[in-house]
Amino acid sequence: MALLLLLHLFLFLRLVTSAAADSFPATAIFVLGDSTASCAATTLSLNLTPPSSFSSPCLFHSGRRRLLPDILAAKMELSPPPLISTLNGSAAAAAMGVNFGGEEGESGGAGVFRMGAVGQQLRLAAETLQLLRLEAATPGEASAAVAGAVFVVSFGADAYARLLARGSEADASAPKHGRRGFARLLAGRVARAVQELYEADVRRVAVLGVPPLGCAPRVMWDGLHLVDGRGCVEEANELVQGYNARVEAQLDALRPELPGADIVFCDVYKGVMEMITNPAAYALHRSSTRYQAERSELQLARPKRQGFEEARDACCGLGPFGGTIGCLTREMACPTPQGHVWWDLYSVTETVNTLLADWAWSVPPSPDSNTSVSRPITLQQLAGQADAPPPPVMV
């Protein structure tokens, strides 16, 4: 009986990992999401008071600031996916990937929770995949183009930033089901998006969770009376954790219904919280050749300490925690964004995104490491660039 149970467990684990292990390297990356996925998704106002003013997580950054999907594309040896609005409508232009985030009609306005944003971006993605099929030379070439696509889905951060805001704007935008009920609605919509992508023959999807916004500068400033300068706003983080848990649970339930697909959940919350809790432990400058090159080019002095120098205050903002007003001019930004966890009111720095990409990409060097954020497989395996993981040790 015990042998039979072990055999069933082994077969289950093979089903979990077989698709990624046998897949060929990704040939394109497609992105659906909010401002965590696209610099064009300018959905958050600078100080959440004047509704006509909006900020981008890439605003006033020196050079082109890369978001997490851009860095993942580089790891797949692909170019950052261009916005769909910049393409000419041909299959050749879309063959290497597309970023569907930030399209006109998706940013700002009263639709702050933007349930429709997911649907609109899905429609654009379906149309793009259909274009690839129609313009392919052969049916086999069309199938290969879709099979080689990795989709990154990143929704929720902008919605929760608005949900956690104080004042009339947050009150007017609050869903009728309440703060906790919203997690159920959005998690269900994201899960349906994964299912709709599967129906469009997509077989590789990475879903990104929401970071710990209870530690974001704006939320910290709003809840200044609730924190002592060292902790975070726990109620806000509990809401975000509840949403992330719902998304992961729905993906777990969905996998058996999607044979041949690899669906990965990336625990962004866990990764960013690890950096906030142990800021001195992580130093990008010792492992990133790109950062070394940038430092040489800008002739910056070597940091005096390892790890993040500032895990609470925004690099670009004013007031306590840099969370009162967001970036209005380039001169407001700090000179060393690579030493900060937070770039502005709600978004993390490129340093954080680079570390998150590293932790999502491969298996940690030690089984005791706390920096594995992808489940049930790594993004390297999802992209078809890694061998299958060794069989688990059974105790």
Side-chain angles (χ1 to χ4, degrees):
M1 184 67 178
L3 181 62
L4 183 61
L5 290 174
L6 288 176
L7 179 60
H8 286 169
L9 177 61
F10 175 76
L11 291 174
F12 171 76
L13 292 171
R14 285 291 299 168
L15 285 173
V16 167
T17 60
S18 60
D22 298 336
S23 61
F24 57 88
T27 57
I29 182 169
F30 294 86
V31 179
L32 297 86
D34 54 22
S35 66
T36 58
S38 169
C39 286
T42 53
T43 60
L44 298 177
S45 61
L46 289 172
N47 55 20
L48 291 178
T49 301
S52 60
S53 299
F54 294 94
S55 172
S56 161
C58 309
L59 192 65
F60 303 124
H61 198 278
S62 57
R64 183 186 182 280
R65 177 165 173 264
R66 299 183 304 169
L67 301 179
L68 186 51
D70 301 322
I71 300 170
L72 291 175
K75 285 185 170 292
M76 297 177 196
E77 301 181 357
L78 301 171
S79 300
L83 288 172
I84 190 171
S85 57
T86 66
L87 301 181
N88 59 16
S90 70
M96 298 301 291
V98 180
N99 191 325
F100 299 100
E103 281 303 290
E104 187 175 353
E106 296 296 302
S107 304
V112 63
F113 297 108
R114 305 192 313 136
M115 292 295 185
V118 185
Q120 181 173 338
Q121 292 187 34
L122 277 170
R123 286 192 295 273
L124 290 171
E127 291 170 3
T128 301
L129 293 175
Q130 183 63 16
L131 182 65
L132 292 176
R133 294 187 186 93
L134 291 174
E135 296 194 11
T138 64
E141 183 179 309
S143 298
V146 179
V150 171
F151 273 73
V152 176
V153 179
S154 182
F155 288 100
D158 287 3
Y160 271 94
R162 296 278 192 145
L163 187 69
L164 295 169
R166 287 192 310 186
S168 58
E169 184 174 353
D171 294 339
S173 304
K176 62 181 180 180
H177 297 282
R179 286 183 167 191
R180 298 190 182 279
F182 177 66
R184 182 179 67 257
L185 295 175
L186 185 56
R189 188 64 191 93
V190 170
R192 287 197 302 276
V194 173
Q195 192 161 16
E196 290 175 35
L197 288 172
Y198 182 85
E199 293 168 358
D201 295 330
V202 173
R203 294 296 180 265
R204 294 191 256 190
V205 182
V207 178
L208 308 185
V210 174
L213 294 179
C215 306
R218 179 67 187 197
V219 179
M220 292 282 284
W221 177 76
D222 280 341
L224 193 58
H225 62 292
L226 301 174
V227 297
D228 57 7
R230 294 186 299 275
C232 299
V233 180
E234 291 303 322
E235 180 186 0
N237 276 345
E238 288 172 4
L239 288 172
V240 171
Q241 284 181 293
Y243 166 73
N244 287 335
R246 280 186 176 274
V247 171
E248 186 170 18
Q250 295 215 22
L251 296 180
D252 289 342
L254 196 57
R255 286 190 190 94
E257 302 176 13
L258 308 179
D262 284 303
I263 313 299
V264 177
F265 176 74
C266 295
D267 195 346
V268 173
Y269 183 102
K270 176 184 176 182
V272 176
M273 187 57 78
E274 172 68 17
M275 298 177 216
I276 291 171
T277 305
N278 304 296
Y282 302 104
L284 183 64
H285 56 266
R286 292 193 175 182
S287 60
S288 171
T289 54
R290 179 179 183 273
Y291 179 52
Q292 288 281 13
E294 287 179 347
R295 284 177 49 76
S296 298
E297 181 181 345
L298 297 174
Q299 297 181 339
L300 297 175
R302 181 175 294 278
K304 295 181 179 179
R305 57 173 292 188
Q306 181 178 358
F308 290 102
E309 298 173 0
E310 180 52 68
R312 300 294 178 187
D313 293 359
C315 171
C316 203
L318 296 177
F321 305 107
T324 307
I325 298 177
C327 248
L328 299 175
T329 66
R330 184 184 297 275
E331 289 71 26
M332 287 177 62
C334 68
T336 55
Q338 67 274 8
H340 284 246
V341 170
W342 297 99
W343 165 246
D344 57 14
L345 304 184
Y346 298 105
S347 56
V348 296
T349 60
E350 183 176 332
T351 306
V352 171
N353 282 327
T354 301
L355 285 171
L356 286 173
D358 288 344
W359 296 349
W361 184 251
S362 58
V363 176
S366 166
D368 298 326
S369 173
N370 194 38
T371 58
S372 176
V373 300
S374 291
R375 298 186 288 268
I377 60 175
T378 68
L379 294 190
Q380 188 176 22
Q381 292 162 357
L382 182 73
Q385 296 184 10
D387 294 333
V393 177
M394 297 186 183
V395 179

